[in-house]
Every structure is written in structure tokens, then in C-alpha cells.
Amino acid sequence: PPGAAAPLLSPEEPSEVFALTDTDVEIIPGVEEPLRTQLTGLRDSYLAEVRRLPASDKPRQALLHLEIGRIDEENLGETDAALNHYKEAVAADPGLAAALRAVRRHQLDRGDVPGALRSLDAEVRVCPDQAQRAALFYEKGLLQLGKNDERASEVSFRRAVELDATFLPALAA
């Protein structure tokens, strides 16, 4: 209509638009090749750095694998490769909570509840914060309820309350 503003983006034209989130930038369909090429190059440079590191530098290997996994998952859409890198990160540093969470998330996405429960247990062992551990036990209890294991879920909810008596979701469970 006359006087109406032209649309900012035309559906026929590829755009270079990003969706900003709290932690990253996602590729929106239509922004494919230049950015994808740059991200692939960044991932490949991290892989090369992992190979150059001494075998004893496990913490750095773990962080690099975590970042490679994030690039693969969040930017390149390669979830299988991402999961492999998250597992490599955990193998290099079993205390890297971000990698444990990423593995657990993928396990849940794939319906691997027993694996997710094992990952939760590992995360509880490395979590230094009592309130966060309470939240992890609560999440474990929810997963156990989903498996119809009421006895185990009760233990997990009770443990959450023991760790943080103000954790309302566990008090209500």
C-alpha cells in the first residue's frame, strides 16, 4: 500500500541476520556460506591446537573440545560431532561441568535416561555449590519419576532438601 514501509527482509533474498541469545550467535538459514566457512575454519584451528598440545595438558584439551562441540552444535548443526567432542572433553577433564551438562542434554535428547542419570551423578560429584547440587538431585529425582522409580526419586528429592532446605521444588515433591 502507498506510504507503507518496505519490509526489512525480502523472502526471496538471502539475509545476513543473526539471532542473538544470551551466550552465542546462531546462524539463521540464508546466511550460509561465508560464516559457515569461518566457523568451520575456527573449529579446524581448535582441532589442530588439540593435536599439538602435550598429552599431559588435559584441562586445555577439554576446553578446546568443549568449544569445538559448541561450534558444531550451535552454529553448524552437527549434533553427532558435537556429542563426540563433549565426550572427549569429559574424558580429558571429568570435572568440567559444562561438558557433563552438554553430554547429559544430548543423552536426554536421544532418550538415554540411564546415561543421563550417570552424567548427573558425575556432575553432582564435581559441583562445589550446595544449592546447585540440590537442583541436580531434584532433576535426578524427576528423571527417576519418569522411569517410574518412585523409591529412588524419593531418595533424590530428600537429598536435595538435605543440601538446601529452602529449595522449594524439592520440598513440594
Side-chain angles (χ1 to χ4, degrees):
L8 294 175
L9 300 172
S10 164
E12 295 82 35
E13 298 176 41
S15 63
E16 293 191 17
V17 177
F18 298 94
L20 297 177
T21 64
D22 289 343
T23 58
D24 62 1
V25 175
E26 294 176 32
I27 297 179
I28 301 293
V31 183
E32 303 298 321
E33 285 316 305
L35 186 55
R36 184 175 192 81
T37 300
Q38 288 178 347
L39 290 166
T40 301
L42 179 62
R43 179 193 60 198
D44 293 346
S45 72
Y46 286 170
L47 281 168
E49 187 173 344
V50 167
R51 288 186 203 107
R52 285 191 303 268
L53 287 172
S56 61
D57 196 351
K58 298 292 187 190
R60 181 78 178 138
Q61 291 172 16
L63 289 173
L64 285 166
H65 278 294
L66 178 64
E67 289 306 315
I68 294 164
R70 286 178 174 164
I71 292 169
D72 281 342
E73 179 180 11
E74 297 170 6
N75 301 112
L76 302 176
E78 298 175 10
T79 57
D80 291 338
L83 178 57
N84 289 334
H85 285 289
Y86 294 144
K87 286 179 177 179
E88 290 279 341
V90 170
D93 182 357
L96 187 57
L100 287 166
R101 277 190 301 277
V103 168
R104 178 168 39 96
R105 187 170 30 80
H106 279 269
Q107 289 166 325
L108 288 172
D109 287 348
R110 294 162 190 242
D112 180 9
V113 174
L117 287 168
R118 285 189 302 275
S119 292
L120 263 170
D121 287 338
E123 195 173 345
V124 165
R125 284 191 297 274
V126 302
C127 183
D129 182 80
Q130 234 173 278
Q132 289 176 346
R133 282 200 334 261
L136 291 169
F137 272 108
Y138 177 72
E139 185 174 344
K140 182 178 180 179
L142 291 176
L143 287 174
Q144 290 163 327
L145 269 181
K147 288 180 57 180
N148 294 319
D149 191 347
E150 291 181 22
R151 180 187 232 163
S153 68
E154 226 177 89
V155 170
S156 294
F157 292 144
R158 192 173 322 114
R159 184 67 180 125
V161 172
E162 289 169 2
L163 288 167
D164 184 356
T166 66
F167 190 65
L168 295 178
L171 288 170

